[in-house]
Amino acid sequence: MSLNVINHLGLNLYSNIPAVLSEVVANAWDADATDVSVKIDRGAGTVTVQDNGAGMSLEDINDRYLTVGYRRRDDSPTTTSKYHRAVMGRKGIGKLSLFSIARVVEVYTVKDGEKNAFRMRVTDIKKAITDEKGNLTPYRPEVLSTDSIDFAQGTRIVLQDLKKGMKQTESALRRRLARRFSVIDPDFNFSLSINGTSISTDDRDYLKRLQYVWVYGDQDYVAKIKAATPQAESFESRPAVTSDGGSIKGWVGTVRSAAQLREQGENLNKVVVLARGRLSHEDLLENISDSSFYRQYMIGELNADFLDSDNEEDITTSSRQRLDEDDPRFIDLLRFFESENRHIKNKWSQLRETQGVAVARKNPAINDWFATLNGDAENHARRLFGMINRIDGEDPNIKKELFAHGVLAFETLRYRNNLAALQEMTEPAVEAFISLFATADEIEANLYHRIVSQRLEVIDKMQAKMDDDSKEKILQQILFEHLWLLDPAWERATDAHLEERIGSSFLSAPLTKEEQDSRLDIRYKRVSGAHVIVELKRYSVITSTFRLAEQVAKYREGLTKALRSIGEEDPHIEIVCIVGKPLSDWTNTQGKRMSDQMLAPLNARAMTFDELLKNSRTAYSEYLRERGNLDRLKKVIDSIKDGNPSQQQ
């Protein structure tokens, strides 16, 4: 791999202070430290992280710390000196993350009485990255005096000449670090503090928000979460093993109001995945296609150590914040979560419906009216009150107003339906159709069924119209209008640009001339806030993974700088490369897999034009096959359309 690509992966990929500090904390854990302290000196512009772990000898520094790509677990998958902890580190590039926020890093360390100290500068490291051929000049850190070392064992890292100001408050930093680790707990003999204030699980600050809770794990863990959520109105222990035997420990919860998951610009509407005690995937919710209303109330934390097995390939990307989504282990976790998501969705709807009825019937007038209902009318009223109760808002008076208007709307609808049933609708199947039509969830499913059918028609027309020469231009325009072709979970974009030059769209961004002139075929901003770059290659062009990686690394760095210039501190960027011909190094399955691994740390992927259409068609066709036999409303509508309503039960 080109050293310039290594530069992008190591020095520039990390983008926020909590993520960088997480790497230092993970290293301290791997050194069997029991105490880690972070000291922030805003006046001096420094961040100091000190641990009481094993420290490093001169041999450790040279053979491990200063060796990019050193595979820690090849020596031992557990720490050896004291606690035999499962090692968090794996790739050997985490130490490079320090340079994404600091231009100067000083390291002071003591191991078994041996003291060492040295200084590293970004400018010196970059001098060792010379030309495009990857020629290296030797790099040696500056040796420092050890006279200032005043501790007996462990490591002190001092970050100086910070690239980013310390804008975050200490409480916000404690909260974000607490959410990145599950081992900051007395049970693990591991403590972390910021400017003398200890971080605890309470700093995560979300368990106390939960209204309904679903928990996964052994009895002791279930009891621990239950004790931490005394305010929860519903608590359910769920099976905690995936279909392939992976063990899950964690919880998923919903809050009373979606506003509770939005705080100081931070979005908590996520289900994070942790492995070996640290965050490995920032949001599992983004990986499921169900976009139902209830999702904006969800939050969760799932620990899945089987994702980071010593005996299997590493699936964590270099950003340490996402996993390889094509790996069988991730797919296994996703299947588990999709199944649980369906259960939670149904249970949440039932709970909110029951609560809606209870809240509404506190009004004596509504209670008297509700007592007059029975049968289907009562069921429909419960659904209506349940839907009203799902409407966000903290003001109880607004809910009372909505319930009052709901009664009026219900009576109007009931009158119209009764009139139609008496005068025109005489077949039992038609009465069943009216009953089904009142079910909002089934209407939503039927509408989506129609959308999927229409999307398949679009794909069929594209395949019929396109020849090899026209595929690039036709795809560019259609992808610009239909983001869902890239991924069924992606809907409309909030911002979209076609054939955009970065320098023209971000005039004040500190870009190099090459970055200013970079032309993006398509750039989207998804509803979730993620940015998507689509790179389209001519159908006849054959390129390599190496060239593609360098190109997308340039695009990523340029767009990252541009977005930061307009206030997006930590932009999430995904890059999809669509090529006409297979890459030159896709000579076999192994070559394709190695190519995917090289692009994954850049959060990029490559596929051919034909693969894009095939994958999209397969996804939507499978949905129609699975859903078509289950959707009662679709059966009724199809039956009426076919002229055989009497066959419906």
Side-chain angles (χ1 to χ4, degrees), residues 106-110 116-117 144-145 148-149 151 154-158:
E106 293 182 353
V107 178
Y108 301 86
T109 185
V110 183
N116 289 284
L144 300 177
S145 168
S148 63
I149 295 179
F151 52 94
T155 299
R156 175 189 295 157
I157 296 176
V158 184

Side-chain angles (χ1 to χ4, degrees), residues 292 345 353 380 383-384 386-387 390 434-448 627 631-633:
S292 301
K345 174 182 177 179
E353 179 181 298
H380 294 332
R383 290 184 182 275
L384 175 63
M387 284 189 287
R390 296 173 203 169
I434 293 172
S435 176
L436 287 170
F437 199 76
T439 307
D441 287 342
E442 291 187 354
I443 294 173
E444 177 182 310
N446 183 66
L447 290 174
Y448 190 70
R627 188 71 190 186
D631 193 331
R632 292 186 298 147
L633 182 54

Side-chain angles (χ1 to χ4, degrees), residues 480-595:
F480 186 72
E481 297 171 355
H482 303 291
L483 184 59
W484 51 264
L485 267 171
L486 291 172
D487 190 318
W490 295 358
E491 297 299 331
R492 295 186 181 276
T494 60
D495 190 20
H497 302 269
L498 189 65
E499 295 187 344
E500 171 197 52
R501 292 194 182 278
I502 298 179
S504 300
S505 297
F506 301 88
L507 298 177
S508 62
L511 303 173
T512 64
K513 181 66 168 60
E514 185 181 23
E515 289 167 347
Q516 288 177 347
D517 293 337
S518 293
R519 184 181 66 83
L520 307 181
D521 290 334
I522 301 175
R523 178 170 69 87
Y524 291 103
K525 186 175 182 181
R526 289 165 49 191
V527 175
S528 65
H531 297 270
V532 180
I533 296 174
V534 181
E535 171 66 11
L536 291 169
K537 293 295 182 187
R538 293 181 187 276
Y539 194 81
S540 58
V541 170
I542 299 177
T543 187
S544 67
T545 303
F546 168 76
R547 291 179 179 174
L548 208 56
E550 288 209 303
Q551 184 175 11
V552 299
K554 178 184 68 175
Y555 288 166
R556 167 181 286 281
E557 184 169 2
L559 184 56
T560 298
K561 288 181 182 178
L563 293 171
R564 286 176 183 167
S565 74
I566 60 171
E568 284 200 42
E569 181 66 18
D570 187 18
H572 177 70
I573 299 172
E574 301 177 28
I575 303 174
V576 182
C577 305
I578 302 175
V579 297
K581 304 293 184 183
L583 301 186
S584 60
D585 44 352
W586 287 1
T587 54
N588 51 39
T589 303
Q590 179 66 18
K592 178 70 165 65
R593 187 158 53 245
M594 293 294 291
S595 174

Side-chain angles (χ1 to χ4, degrees), residues 67-107:
T67 300
V68 176
Y70 165 68
R71 300 177 67 86
R72 168 68 173 82
R73 297 188 200 173
D74 287 352
D75 290 342
S76 174
T78 61
T79 61
T80 56
S81 56
K82 288 183 183 179
Y83 302 111
H84 302 288
R85 297 167 173 169
V87 171
M88 291 182 181
R90 188 159 190 167
K91 289 181 180 295
I93 66 170
K95 75 273 291 185
L96 293 178
S97 68
L98 301 174
F99 297 107
S100 65
I101 65 169
R103 296 180 181 88
V104 179
V105 176
E106 293 182 353
V107 178

Side-chain angles (χ1 to χ4, degrees), residues 23-39 47-58 60-61 65 95 98 105-112 114-118 120 148-159:
E23 291 294 337
V24 186
V25 173
N27 286 342
W29 168 270
D30 290 349
D32 266 337
T34 59
D35 182 72
V36 184
S37 67
V38 178
K39 294 183 180 179
V47 177
T48 302
V49 185
Q50 181 155 349
D51 68 63
N52 64 347
M56 293 182 286
S57 65
L58 185 60
D60 294 332
I61 293 170
Y65 191 82
K95 75 273 291 185
L98 301 174
V105 176
E106 293 182 353
V107 178
Y108 301 86
T109 185
V110 183
K111 181 176 183 179
D112 300 330
E114 178 187 340
K115 298 181 179 181
N116 289 284
F118 56 93
M120 299 179 289
S148 63
I149 295 179
D150 55 0
F151 52 94
Q153 188 84 1
T155 299
R156 175 189 295 157
I157 296 176
V158 184
L159 307 182

